[in-house]
């Protein structure tokens, strides 16, 4: 979003062994720490961060092992998530033909380490479906740990890393996924299916799905290198069975699992393309906010409240912000 104040200290983590010294430095100065990957899902507050930002520069992607049922693929957490996804697709095109599992995560900005934190997902896939394990540095116990996927309490944009006592405790150093051979088949998510129909694509494999997702995202999501944006700004709304029936009676679409697409709510509240306090609701994807002229986090906060209030007034549903916040 290109907002927020300065950080007191910044340390780049280039090797696992850098972590003990970095956390020791923060403890000696009695300062908090914050792990930053690509910064695509983080918003800085105006007061800055009076602490130590640890910038993840860990690199490496490699196949750990394979058998007839699984290929285990590992990436260091500072790798770009899209590079990891493209590497997995390249396996399908080469020696390990037929393997898949994360191709629909194409072009999601940010690093591999952020994927299990938010349990990132798109177009019918999320990282929990293939995640095998993560390696972390636990700053509370001052040691490295190997944690299995079933220990991470993964849910919709949820994990132990962004909830409760786990917030700020762990630095994820690597992520391991299990690829499989059951690639996605139609019908796909509406926009992806529409792309395939428009281009008469009827044969599917991981490369085709990757290319389709990349094309759809390029058509509606702003490039964060060019536009000041944190991508999807609001989480989808989840309803219980009673709430879902009430919403459907009002003409609100409810997807499987009680999910209401927040982009639909924003668009049908008449907010698509509108600007609030320098923040514009994208005219291509209503979930996306773009900083056109906002000068401060305070401007963003006012815009957020205006959008939440408008949706609540029209539909009685409350939107929740997706990007995390940093600073005072």
């Amino acid at each position: 979003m290109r907002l927020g104040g300065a950080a007191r200290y910044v340390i780049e983590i280039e090797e696992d062994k850098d972590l003990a010294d970095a956390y020791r430095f923060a403890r000696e100065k009695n300062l908090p720490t914050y792990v930053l990957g690509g910064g695509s899902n983080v918003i800085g507050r105006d007061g800055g961060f009076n602490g130590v930002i640890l910038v993840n520069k860990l690199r490496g992607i490699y196949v750990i092992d394979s058998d007839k049922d699984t290929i285990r693929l590992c990436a260091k957490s500072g790798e770009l998530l899209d590079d990891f996804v493209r590497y997995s697709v390249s396996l399908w095109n080469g020696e390990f033909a037929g393997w898949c599992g994360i191709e629909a995560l194409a072009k999601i900005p940010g690093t591999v380490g952020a994927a299990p934190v938010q349990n990132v997902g798109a177009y019918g896939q999320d990282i929990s479906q293939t995640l095998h394990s993560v390696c972390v540095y636990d700053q509370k116990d001052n040691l490295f740990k190997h944690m299995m996927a079933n220990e991470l309490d993964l849910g919709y944009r949820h994990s132990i890393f962004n909830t409760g006592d786990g917030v700020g405790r762990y630095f994820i150093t690597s992520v391991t996924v299990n690829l499989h051979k059951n690639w996605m088949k139609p019908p796909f998510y509406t926009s992806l299916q529409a792309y395939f129909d428009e281009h008469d694509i009827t044969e599917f494999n991981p490369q085709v799905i990757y290319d389709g997702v990349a094309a759809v995202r390029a058509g509606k999501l702003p490039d964060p290198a060019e536009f000041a944006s944190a991508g999807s700004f609001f989480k989808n709304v989840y309803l219980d069975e009673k709430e879902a029936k009430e919403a459907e009676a009002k003409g609100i679409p409810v997807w499987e699992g009680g999910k209401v697409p927040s982009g639909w709510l924003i668009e049908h509240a008449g907010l698509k393309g509108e600007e609030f306090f320098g923040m514009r609701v994208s005219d291509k994807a209503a979930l996306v906010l773009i900083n056109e002229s906002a000068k401060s986090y305070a401007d963003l906060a006012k815009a957020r409240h205006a959008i939440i209030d408008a949706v609540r007034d029209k539909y009685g549903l409350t939107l929740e912000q997706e990007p995390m916040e940093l600073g005072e």
Side-chain angles (χ1 to χ4, degrees), residues 105-269:
L105 306 184
K107 298 300 180 182
I108 294 178
T111 56
V112 169
V117 175
Q118 291 286 95
N119 187 22
V120 300
Y123 299 99
Q125 284 183 347
D126 62 56
I127 199 67
S128 72
Q129 295 164 351
T130 52
L131 186 66
H132 172 268
S133 60
V134 297
C135 290
V136 303
Y137 183 81
D138 183 346
Q139 68 152 322
K140 180 179 179 181
D141 295 337
N142 297 318
L143 50 80
F144 289 94
K145 293 180 178 178
H146 184 258
M147 304 176 74
M148 303 302 294
N150 60 11
E151 299 178 70
L152 306 182
D153 192 26
L154 296 168
Y156 176 64
R157 302 297 181 263
H158 172 90
S159 71
I160 64 168
F161 303 117
N162 62 11
T163 309
D165 294 339
V167 175
R169 176 173 175 174
Y170 304 100
F171 186 113
I172 298 172
T173 60
S174 67
V175 173
T176 299
V177 298
N178 285 333
L179 301 182
H180 52 76
K181 291 188 175 181
N182 299 315
W183 62 71
M184 301 173 71
K185 296 176 176 61
F188 299 97
Y189 268 48
T190 304
S191 57
L192 184 58
Q193 186 66 56
Y195 173 85
F196 290 142
D197 292 344
E198 179 184 351
H199 293 83
D200 296 320
I201 298 172
T202 57
E203 298 291 329
F204 302 101
N205 60 49
Q207 183 68 63
V208 170
I209 293 169
Y210 176 93
D211 292 341
V213 171
V216 171
R217 291 183 69 92
K220 67 179 183 178
L221 297 175
D223 183 347
E226 298 182 31
F227 300 94
S229 171
S232 296
F233 192 83
F234 294 103
K235 299 177 183 179
N236 289 316
V237 178
Y238 278 82
L239 305 177
D240 61 28
E241 186 175 348
K242 179 183 177 182
E243 292 169 333
K245 290 181 179 179
E246 293 173 350
E248 288 177 323
K250 298 177 183 178
I252 299 171
V254 180
W255 297 351
E256 184 178 354
K259 181 169 72 173
V260 175
S262 292
W264 187 96
L265 296 172
I266 296 168
E267 179 175 354
H268 286 78

Side-chain angles (χ1 to χ4, degrees), residues 62-113:
Y62 41 90
V63 174
I64 295 179
D65 57 39
S66 63
D67 56 34
K68 65 181 180 66
D69 298 316
T70 303
I71 285 182
R72 194 156 293 158
L73 186 63
C74 182
K76 299 297 287 186
S77 54
E79 290 282 355
L80 293 178
L81 178 58
D82 188 56
D83 287 348
F84 188 40
V85 174
R86 286 192 295 108
Y87 185 91
S88 77
V89 172
S90 75
L91 295 179
W92 186 89
N93 290 320
E95 178 184 357
F96 298 103
W99 299 97
C100 61
I102 57 175
E103 58 279 357
L105 306 184
K107 298 300 180 182
I108 294 178
T111 56
V112 169

Side-chain angles (χ1 to χ4, degrees), residues 281-322:
V281 179
S282 171
D283 55 3
K284 294 182 178 180
L287 267 184
V288 175
L289 295 186
I290 299 171
N291 182 2
E292 297 281 6
S293 60
K295 303 300 183 185
S296 67
Y297 171 82
D299 291 334
L300 171 62
K302 288 185 286 188
R304 176 184 61 214
H305 289 307
I307 295 167
I308 290 173
D309 289 346
V311 169
R312 186 189 295 118
D313 290 345
K314 187 171 179 68
Y315 294 110
L317 299 176
T318 301
L319 300 178
E320 182 180 346
Q321 177 178 313
E322 181 173 325

